[in-house]
């Protein structure tokens, strides 16, 4: 029953975003293309996502990795889980590269590891948990 409600809500949210005039071009997520990026957070921003919600976005730099636009999850979702991400945090993020609405590359997060804590923001099939 919960799955049916979640699926219905997932179908309804883009329609609500269109009613608000927000861009509805969602970046595509691909579980088969997942990679891990590790490094230090050098910037944290909360910006409107494709549905007009305030999304938490990071810039991560590591020895061999650099991800200038890491799309984590809506700020409200992270606050509900009592998750804080800050400049200087060492993270390991699993996710995939996609394109944002303007065509620029964006790294969509599936899982974040910070010290001994692991947080999944997407389900096993890549569907957002928020």
């Amino acid at each position: 029953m919960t799955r049916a409600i979640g699926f219905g809500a997932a179908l309804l949210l883009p329609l609500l975003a269109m009613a608000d005039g927000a861009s509805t071009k969602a970046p595509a997520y691909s579980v088969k293309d997942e990679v891990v990026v590790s490094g230090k957070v050098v910037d944290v921003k909360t910006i409107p996502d494709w549905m007009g919600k305030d999304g938490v976005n990071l810039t991560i730099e590591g020895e061999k990795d650099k991800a200038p636009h890491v799309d984590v999850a809506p700020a409200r979702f992270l606050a509900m889980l009592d998750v804080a991400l800050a400049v200087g945090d060492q993270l390991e993020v699993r996710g995939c590269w996609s394109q944002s609405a303007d065509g620029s590359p964006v790294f969509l997060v599936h899982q974040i590891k910070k010290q001994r804590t692991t947080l999944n923001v997407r389900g096993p099939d890549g569907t957002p948990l928020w």
Side-chain angles (χ1 to χ4, degrees), residues 34-118:
E34 284 186 346
V35 295
V36 175
V37 174
S38 300
K40 182 171 88 171
V41 176
V42 295
D43 190 30
V44 178
K45 291 181 184 172
T46 303
I47 58 174
D49 64 10
W50 65 276
M51 291 182 357
K53 297 181 187 269
D54 286 339
V56 174
N57 292 262
L58 310 173
T59 300
I60 296 176
E61 290 183 356
E63 288 183 27
K64 59 183 174 176
D65 300 318
K66 180 168 182 177
H69 185 175
V70 178
D71 189 346
V72 180
R76 181 174 267 171
F77 176 74
L78 295 176
M80 180 181 74
L81 298 176
D82 197 23
V83 173
L85 299 170
V87 171
D89 286 347
Q90 284 292 135
L91 301 179
E92 179 181 291
V93 292
R94 173 178 299 280
C96 75
W97 287 100
S98 187
Q99 284 187 342
S100 64
D102 67 4
S104 62
V106 59
F107 188 84
L108 304 174
V109 174
H110 186 157
Q111 181 182 76
I112 299 173
K113 290 184 181 182
K114 178 181 171 183
Q115 297 173 344
R116 294 183 189 172
T117 302
T118 300

